[in-house]
Amino acid sequence: MESMNVGTKLKQLWPKTGRQFKVFNQIILDKKAVRHNLEILRQIGGTDVMPVLKSNAYEHGIRQMAAILRELAVPMVAVDGYYEATAIRRIFKGRILVLGVIRRENVGRLRNHRISYVLQNIDDLRAFGQTGRKFNIHLEINTGMNRLGLRPEEIAEYLRVLEKYQNLHLEGVMTHLASADDPDSDSPEQQVEIFDQAVREILDAGHQPEIIHVANSAGVGRVNSRFANYIRPGLAVYGLSELPENDDRSQQFSKLRPVLELRSTIVKTINLRKGEAVGYGGSFIAPQTMRIGVLPLGYYEGIPRALSNRGLVTSLSGRELDIVGRVCMNHTMIDLSDADLGEGDEVVIISRDPKARNSVHGLEREFDLFAYETLARLSENIRRVVE
Protein backbone atom coordinates (compact mmCIF):
# COMPACT_ATOMS: atom_id res chain seq x y z
CA MET A 1 0.00 0.00 0.00
CA GLU A 2 1.35 3.39 -0.97
CA SER A 3 2.90 5.47 1.79
CA MET A 4 0.70 8.50 1.01
CA ASN A 5 -2.60 8.41 -0.84
CA VAL A 6 -3.97 11.00 -3.25
CA GLY A 7 -6.49 12.28 -0.73
CA THR A 8 -3.77 12.99 1.84
CA LYS A 9 -1.59 14.73 -0.71
CA LEU A 10 -4.45 16.92 -1.90
CA LYS A 11 -5.33 17.92 1.65
CA GLN A 12 -1.72 18.92 2.22
CA LEU A 13 -1.56 20.85 -1.03
CA TRP A 14 -4.89 22.63 -0.58
CA PRO A 15 -6.02 22.75 3.07
CA LYS A 16 -9.42 24.38 3.64
CA THR A 17 -7.88 27.74 4.45
CA GLY A 18 -5.78 27.57 1.29
CA ARG A 19 -8.88 27.54 -0.89
CA GLN A 20 -9.56 31.14 0.17
CA PHE A 21 -6.39 32.29 -1.60
CA LYS A 22 -6.38 33.28 -5.24
CA VAL A 23 -3.90 31.36 -7.38
CA PHE A 24 -2.02 32.08 -10.58
CA ASN A 25 -2.57 28.67 -12.22
CA GLN A 26 -5.85 26.80 -12.51
CA ILE A 27 -7.24 23.76 -14.28
CA ILE A 28 -10.89 24.49 -15.04
CA LEU A 29 -13.25 21.55 -15.59
CA ASP A 30 -16.46 21.86 -17.61
CA LYS A 31 -19.15 19.79 -15.84
CA LYS A 32 -21.54 20.15 -18.79
CA ALA A 33 -18.91 18.65 -21.08
CA VAL A 34 -18.65 15.58 -18.83
CA ARG A 35 -22.42 15.10 -18.97
CA HIS A 36 -22.40 15.55 -22.73
CA ASN A 37 -19.57 13.05 -23.22
CA LEU A 38 -21.31 10.40 -21.13
CA GLU A 39 -24.46 10.80 -23.20
CA ILE A 40 -22.50 10.48 -26.45
CA LEU A 41 -20.68 7.38 -25.19
CA ARG A 42 -23.92 5.73 -24.07
CA GLN A 43 -25.38 6.37 -27.51
CA ILE A 44 -22.37 4.93 -29.32
CA GLY A 45 -21.80 2.00 -26.94
CA GLY A 46 -25.40 1.12 -26.25
CA THR A 47 -24.67 0.32 -22.58
CA ASP A 48 -23.98 2.11 -19.34
CA VAL A 49 -20.61 3.78 -18.76
CA MET A 50 -17.97 2.98 -16.12
CA PRO A 51 -15.65 6.01 -16.33
CA VAL A 52 -11.98 5.38 -15.60
CA LEU A 53 -10.54 7.80 -13.02
CA LYS A 54 -7.05 6.35 -12.77
CA SER A 55 -3.94 8.54 -12.58
CA ASN A 56 -5.76 11.37 -10.81
CA ALA A 57 -8.55 11.14 -13.41
CA TYR A 58 -6.07 11.60 -16.24
CA GLU A 59 -4.85 14.57 -14.16
CA HIS A 60 -8.20 16.31 -14.35
CA GLY A 61 -8.45 15.81 -10.58
CA ILE A 62 -9.85 12.59 -9.16
CA ARG A 63 -11.81 14.21 -6.35
CA GLN A 64 -13.33 16.84 -8.62
CA MET A 65 -14.27 14.29 -11.29
CA ALA A 66 -15.74 11.97 -8.65
CA ALA A 67 -17.94 14.81 -7.41
CA ILE A 68 -19.13 15.55 -10.95
CA LEU A 69 -19.93 11.88 -11.59
CA ARG A 70 -21.78 11.63 -8.29
CA GLU A 71 -24.04 14.50 -9.40
CA LEU A 72 -24.60 12.72 -12.71
CA ALA A 73 -25.66 9.53 -10.87
CA VAL A 74 -23.01 7.34 -12.51
CA PRO A 75 -23.32 3.88 -10.92
CA MET A 76 -19.69 2.77 -11.02
CA VAL A 77 -16.20 4.11 -11.71
CA ALA A 78 -12.84 2.40 -12.13
CA VAL A 79 -9.49 3.42 -10.63
CA ASP A 80 -6.04 1.91 -10.80
CA GLY A 81 -5.03 1.65 -7.15
CA TYR A 82 -6.53 1.30 -3.71
CA TYR A 83 -5.22 4.73 -2.71
CA GLU A 84 -7.37 6.24 -5.47
CA ALA A 85 -10.43 4.37 -4.24
CA THR A 86 -9.99 5.69 -0.71
CA ALA A 87 -9.47 9.23 -2.03
CA ILE A 88 -12.97 9.30 -3.52
CA ARG A 89 -14.85 6.82 -1.32
CA ARG A 90 -16.61 9.56 0.65
CA ILE A 91 -17.19 11.73 -2.41
CA PHE A 92 -18.52 9.23 -4.94
CA LYS A 93 -21.48 7.23 -3.66
CA GLY A 94 -21.55 4.51 -6.31
CA ARG A 95 -19.35 1.44 -6.68
CA ILE A 96 -15.59 1.71 -7.23
CA LEU A 97 -13.56 -0.92 -9.07
CA VAL A 98 -9.83 -1.19 -8.38
CA LEU A 99 -8.21 -2.38 -11.61
CA GLY A 100 -4.63 -2.68 -10.40
CA VAL A 101 -2.82 -5.39 -8.50
CA ILE A 102 -2.98 -5.35 -4.69
CA ARG A 103 -0.01 -6.44 -2.57
CA ARG A 104 -1.15 -9.62 -0.83
CA GLU A 105 0.23 -8.60 2.55
CA ASN A 106 -2.17 -5.63 2.51
CA VAL A 107 -5.35 -7.55 1.72
CA GLY A 108 -6.46 -7.82 5.34
CA ARG A 109 -6.42 -4.03 5.67
CA LEU A 110 -8.59 -3.25 2.63
CA ARG A 111 -12.03 -1.71 2.79
CA ASN A 112 -14.76 -3.70 1.10
CA HIS A 113 -17.82 -1.44 1.30
CA ARG A 114 -18.65 -0.32 -2.27
CA ILE A 115 -15.10 -1.19 -3.42
CA SER A 116 -14.53 -4.16 -5.74
CA TYR A 117 -11.21 -5.65 -6.79
CA VAL A 118 -9.87 -7.24 -9.97
CA LEU A 119 -8.06 -10.39 -8.88
CA GLN A 120 -5.51 -11.25 -11.51
CA ASN A 121 -4.46 -14.74 -10.46
CA ILE A 122 -5.20 -17.66 -8.18
CA ASP A 123 -2.74 -16.61 -5.48
CA ASP A 124 -4.53 -13.27 -5.19
CA LEU A 125 -7.83 -15.12 -5.02
CA ARG A 126 -6.58 -17.23 -2.10
CA ALA A 127 -5.23 -14.15 -0.30
CA PHE A 128 -8.64 -12.47 -0.43
CA GLY A 129 -10.52 -15.67 0.35
CA GLN A 130 -8.49 -16.48 3.42
CA THR A 131 -9.47 -13.21 5.10
CA GLY A 132 -12.96 -14.60 5.62
CA ARG A 133 -14.33 -11.14 4.77
CA LYS A 134 -16.86 -10.53 2.01
CA PHE A 135 -15.42 -9.06 -1.17
CA ASN A 136 -16.85 -8.39 -4.60
CA ILE A 137 -14.28 -9.39 -7.18
CA HIS A 138 -13.80 -9.12 -10.94
CA LEU A 139 -11.87 -11.59 -13.08
CA GLU A 140 -9.77 -10.21 -15.93
CA ILE A 141 -9.33 -12.48 -18.93
CA ASN A 142 -6.11 -12.12 -20.91
CA THR A 143 -7.40 -12.26 -24.48
CA GLY A 144 -4.27 -10.93 -26.19
CA MET A 145 -3.11 -7.82 -24.36
CA ASN A 146 -0.61 -10.02 -22.45
CA ARG A 147 -0.29 -7.61 -19.58
CA LEU A 148 -2.61 -8.77 -16.80
CA GLY A 149 -5.32 -11.37 -16.34
CA LEU A 150 -5.79 -15.12 -16.73
CA ARG A 151 -5.39 -17.02 -19.95
CA PRO A 152 -8.59 -18.86 -20.90
CA GLU A 153 -7.05 -22.24 -20.05
CA GLU A 154 -6.49 -21.07 -16.46
CA ILE A 155 -10.12 -20.18 -15.80
CA ALA A 156 -11.30 -23.63 -14.75
CA GLU A 157 -8.78 -23.89 -11.91
CA TYR A 158 -9.55 -20.30 -10.84
CA LEU A 159 -13.23 -21.17 -10.56
CA ARG A 160 -12.46 -24.36 -8.61
CA VAL A 161 -10.48 -22.36 -6.07
CA LEU A 162 -13.17 -19.69 -5.95
CA GLU A 163 -15.72 -22.32 -4.91
CA LYS A 164 -13.78 -22.82 -1.66
CA TYR A 165 -14.38 -19.23 -0.57
CA GLN A 166 -18.03 -18.40 -0.04
CA ASN A 167 -17.02 -14.92 1.13
CA LEU A 168 -15.96 -13.99 -2.41
CA HIS A 169 -18.58 -12.97 -4.97
CA LEU A 170 -17.68 -12.92 -8.65
CA GLU A 171 -19.34 -9.62 -9.42
CA GLY A 172 -17.70 -8.99 -12.78
CA VAL A 173 -15.63 -10.23 -15.71
CA MET A 174 -13.49 -8.04 -17.96
CA THR A 175 -10.77 -7.90 -20.56
CA HIS A 176 -8.65 -5.14 -22.08
CA LEU A 177 -8.37 -4.42 -25.80
CA ALA A 178 -4.91 -3.94 -27.25
CA SER A 179 -5.52 -2.42 -30.70
CA ALA A 180 -9.05 -1.01 -30.80
CA ASP A 181 -7.76 2.31 -32.18
CA ASP A 182 -6.39 0.59 -35.29
CA PRO A 183 -9.16 0.23 -37.90
CA ASP A 184 -6.97 -2.09 -39.97
CA SER A 185 -6.49 -4.59 -37.15
CA ASP A 186 -8.86 -7.49 -36.53
CA SER A 187 -7.34 -8.09 -33.10
CA PRO A 188 -10.26 -6.50 -31.14
CA GLU A 189 -12.81 -8.78 -32.77
CA GLN A 190 -10.62 -11.80 -32.09
CA GLN A 191 -10.21 -10.74 -28.47
CA VAL A 192 -13.97 -10.40 -28.00
CA GLU A 193 -14.54 -13.85 -29.46
CA ILE A 194 -12.09 -15.32 -26.94
CA PHE A 195 -13.68 -13.28 -24.16
CA ASP A 196 -17.22 -14.41 -24.94
CA GLN A 197 -16.11 -18.03 -24.89
CA ALA A 198 -14.56 -17.44 -21.47
CA VAL A 199 -17.71 -15.76 -20.14
CA ARG A 200 -19.78 -18.70 -21.40
CA GLU A 201 -17.51 -21.06 -19.46
CA ILE A 202 -17.98 -18.97 -16.31
CA LEU A 203 -21.76 -18.94 -16.73
CA ASP A 204 -21.86 -22.68 -17.38
CA ALA A 205 -19.96 -23.18 -14.12
CA GLY A 206 -22.88 -21.60 -12.27
CA HIS A 207 -21.58 -18.09 -11.71
CA GLN A 208 -23.70 -15.08 -12.60
CA PRO A 209 -21.49 -11.97 -12.81
CA GLU A 210 -23.62 -8.83 -13.00
CA ILE A 211 -21.00 -6.51 -14.51
CA ILE A 212 -19.28 -7.52 -17.74
CA HIS A 213 -17.03 -4.96 -19.42
CA VAL A 214 -14.76 -5.03 -22.45
CA ALA A 215 -14.57 -1.76 -24.38
CA ASN A 216 -12.04 0.92 -23.50
CA SER A 217 -12.43 4.33 -25.19
CA ALA A 218 -11.17 3.11 -28.55
CA GLY A 219 -13.36 0.00 -28.33
CA VAL A 220 -16.65 1.85 -27.79
CA GLY A 221 -18.95 1.24 -30.73
CA ARG A 222 -16.50 -1.16 -32.38
CA VAL A 223 -16.64 -4.44 -30.47
CA ASN A 224 -19.86 -6.29 -29.68
CA SER A 225 -19.59 -8.81 -26.89
CA ARG A 226 -22.72 -10.93 -26.45
CA PHE A 227 -22.45 -10.45 -22.71
CA ALA A 228 -21.00 -6.98 -22.04
CA ASN A 229 -23.32 -4.57 -20.24
CA TYR A 230 -20.81 -1.80 -19.48
CA ILE A 231 -18.22 0.14 -21.44
CA ARG A 232 -15.09 1.28 -19.59
CA PRO A 233 -13.78 4.44 -21.30
CA GLY A 234 -11.02 6.65 -20.01
CA LEU A 235 -9.81 9.34 -22.42
CA ALA A 236 -13.19 9.70 -24.13
CA VAL A 237 -14.90 10.65 -20.85
CA TYR A 238 -12.62 13.70 -20.83
CA GLY A 239 -13.65 14.63 -24.37
CA LEU A 240 -10.64 13.34 -26.27
CA SER A 241 -10.23 10.62 -28.88
CA GLU A 242 -7.20 8.94 -30.40
CA LEU A 243 -9.15 7.43 -33.30
CA PRO A 244 -7.58 8.09 -36.73
CA GLU A 245 -9.62 9.90 -39.38
CA ASN A 246 -10.06 6.72 -41.41
CA ASP A 247 -11.96 5.09 -38.54
CA ASP A 248 -15.69 4.94 -39.31
CA ARG A 249 -16.48 6.15 -35.78
CA SER A 250 -14.30 9.28 -35.91
CA GLN A 251 -17.24 11.53 -36.83
CA GLN A 252 -19.24 10.30 -33.84
CA PHE A 253 -16.28 10.75 -31.51
CA SER A 254 -15.70 14.26 -32.88
CA LYS A 255 -18.84 15.28 -30.97
CA LEU A 256 -17.02 14.78 -27.66
CA ARG A 257 -16.16 18.00 -25.82
CA PRO A 258 -12.81 18.46 -24.02
CA VAL A 259 -13.37 18.93 -20.29
CA LEU A 260 -10.09 20.53 -19.24
CA GLU A 261 -8.66 24.00 -19.72
CA LEU A 262 -5.38 25.09 -18.13
CA ARG A 263 -4.94 28.80 -17.44
CA SER A 264 -2.09 30.83 -16.03
CA THR A 265 -1.54 34.47 -15.10
CA ILE A 266 1.13 36.90 -16.27
CA VAL A 267 3.13 37.84 -13.18
CA LYS A 268 5.71 40.14 -14.79
CA THR A 269 6.40 41.92 -18.07
CA ILE A 270 9.86 42.82 -19.37
CA ASN A 271 10.82 45.20 -22.17
CA LEU A 272 13.67 43.73 -24.19
CA ARG A 273 16.16 45.61 -26.29
CA LYS A 274 17.25 44.21 -29.61
CA GLY A 275 19.90 41.53 -29.07
CA GLU A 276 18.97 40.71 -25.46
CA ALA A 277 18.66 37.03 -24.55
CA VAL A 278 15.86 35.27 -22.69
CA GLY A 279 16.12 32.45 -20.17
CA TYR A 280 18.59 29.64 -19.59
CA GLY A 281 21.30 29.36 -22.20
CA GLY A 282 20.09 32.50 -23.95
CA SER A 283 18.40 30.33 -26.55
CA PHE A 284 16.15 33.18 -27.66
CA ILE A 285 17.64 36.49 -28.81
CA ALA A 286 15.28 39.42 -29.32
CA PRO A 287 15.40 40.32 -33.05
CA GLN A 288 14.04 43.78 -32.24
CA THR A 289 12.61 45.71 -29.31
CA MET A 290 9.90 43.56 -27.80
CA ARG A 291 7.89 42.91 -24.66
CA ILE A 292 7.62 39.54 -22.97
CA GLY A 293 5.49 38.18 -20.14
CA VAL A 294 6.48 35.70 -17.44
CA LEU A 295 4.10 32.88 -16.46
CA PRO A 296 4.56 31.10 -13.10
CA LEU A 297 4.53 27.55 -14.40
CA GLY A 298 6.94 25.35 -16.31
CA TYR A 299 7.86 21.74 -16.87
CA TYR A 300 7.29 20.85 -13.21
CA GLU A 301 3.66 21.92 -13.65
CA GLY A 302 3.45 19.98 -16.91
CA ILE A 303 4.44 22.36 -19.70
CA PRO A 304 6.54 20.20 -22.04
CA ARG A 305 10.10 21.47 -22.34
CA ALA A 306 9.82 20.54 -26.01
CA LEU A 307 7.71 23.69 -26.45
CA SER A 308 10.75 25.89 -25.77
CA ASN A 309 11.00 28.52 -28.54
CA ARG A 310 8.32 26.78 -30.61
CA GLY A 311 5.14 26.41 -28.57
CA LEU A 312 2.40 28.92 -27.89
CA VAL A 313 -0.33 29.91 -25.48
CA THR A 314 -3.45 31.94 -26.26
CA SER A 315 -5.16 34.96 -24.79
CA LEU A 316 -8.70 34.49 -23.49
CA SER A 317 -9.89 35.86 -26.83
CA GLY A 318 -7.90 33.21 -28.71
CA ARG A 319 -4.91 35.26 -29.86
CA GLU A 320 -1.75 33.16 -30.20
CA LEU A 321 1.28 34.17 -28.12
CA ASP A 322 4.62 32.49 -28.82
CA ILE A 323 6.71 30.86 -26.11
CA VAL A 324 10.20 32.40 -26.12
CA GLY A 325 13.28 30.94 -24.48
CA ARG A 326 13.49 27.61 -22.72
CA VAL A 327 10.58 26.42 -20.63
CA CYS A 328 11.95 26.52 -17.07
CA MET A 329 11.03 24.32 -14.12
CA ASN A 330 8.47 26.83 -12.80
CA HIS A 331 8.41 29.64 -15.37
CA THR A 332 7.60 30.13 -19.04
CA MET A 333 8.10 33.31 -21.05
CA ILE A 334 5.76 34.47 -23.82
CA ASP A 335 5.87 37.21 -26.48
CA LEU A 336 3.47 40.07 -25.66
CA SER A 337 4.84 42.54 -28.23
CA ASP A 338 1.60 42.78 -30.23
CA ALA A 339 -0.82 41.96 -27.41
CA ASP A 340 -2.60 44.34 -25.07
CA LEU A 341 -1.87 42.17 -22.05
CA GLY A 342 0.03 42.80 -18.86
CA GLU A 343 0.59 41.74 -15.29
CA GLY A 344 -2.49 40.05 -13.83
CA ASP A 345 -4.01 39.03 -17.17
CA GLU A 346 -4.85 35.38 -17.74
CA VAL A 347 -3.76 33.26 -20.69
CA VAL A 348 -4.74 29.77 -21.80
CA ILE A 349 -2.00 27.15 -21.74
CA ILE A 350 -4.16 24.18 -22.79
CA SER A 351 -7.32 25.11 -24.64
CA ARG A 352 -10.68 23.33 -24.65
CA ASP A 353 -11.13 24.31 -28.28
CA PRO A 354 -10.14 21.14 -30.20
CA LYS A 355 -9.21 23.27 -33.22
CA ALA A 356 -6.74 25.40 -31.24
CA ARG A 357 -3.04 24.72 -31.74
CA ASN A 358 -2.63 24.60 -27.95
CA SER A 359 -5.44 22.11 -27.33
CA VAL A 360 -4.39 18.61 -26.25
CA HIS A 361 -4.85 17.30 -29.78
CA GLY A 362 -3.41 20.48 -31.25
CA LEU A 363 -0.20 19.86 -29.32
CA GLU A 364 -0.26 16.30 -30.64
CA ARG A 365 -0.70 17.46 -34.23
CA GLU A 366 1.78 20.33 -34.13
CA PHE A 367 4.47 19.04 -31.81
CA ASP A 368 4.00 15.25 -31.75
CA LEU A 369 3.12 15.29 -28.04
CA PHE A 370 1.19 12.16 -27.06
CA ALA A 371 -2.22 13.23 -25.71
CA TYR A 372 -2.18 10.85 -22.73
CA GLU A 373 1.28 12.05 -21.72
CA THR A 374 0.36 15.72 -22.05
CA LEU A 375 -2.43 15.16 -19.53
CA ALA A 376 -0.39 12.89 -17.27
CA ARG A 377 2.34 15.54 -16.91
CA LEU A 378 -0.01 18.09 -15.33
CA SER A 379 1.03 18.58 -11.73
CA GLU A 380 -1.29 17.74 -8.85
CA ASN A 381 -0.35 21.04 -7.22
CA ILE A 382 -2.40 23.01 -9.76
CA ARG A 383 -5.80 23.85 -8.32
CA ARG A 384 -8.73 22.17 -10.08
CA VAL A 385 -11.98 24.14 -10.32
CA VAL A 386 -15.35 22.84 -11.57
CA GLU A 387 -17.58 25.20 -13.49
Side-chain angles (χ1 to χ4, degrees), residues 263-281:
R263 292 186 186 182
S264 187
T265 307
I266 299 168
V267 294
K268 182 178 177 64
T269 62
I270 302 172
N271 294 315
L272 296 180
R273 303 183 183 91
K274 180 179 179 179
E276 287 190 317
V278 175
Y280 288 116

Side-chain angles (χ1 to χ4, degrees), residues 288-303:
Q288 67 269 327
T289 299
M290 60 187 299
R291 188 169 64 96
I292 65 170
V294 181
L295 303 177
L297 78 175
Y299 55 79
Y300 171 76
E301 285 77 18
I303 309 306

Side-chain angles (χ1 to χ4, degrees), residues 185-196:
S185 172
D186 58 3
S187 170
E189 289 73 21
Q190 293 172 355
Q191 285 189 257
V192 169
E193 183 176 352
I194 294 169
F195 179 75
D196 281 353

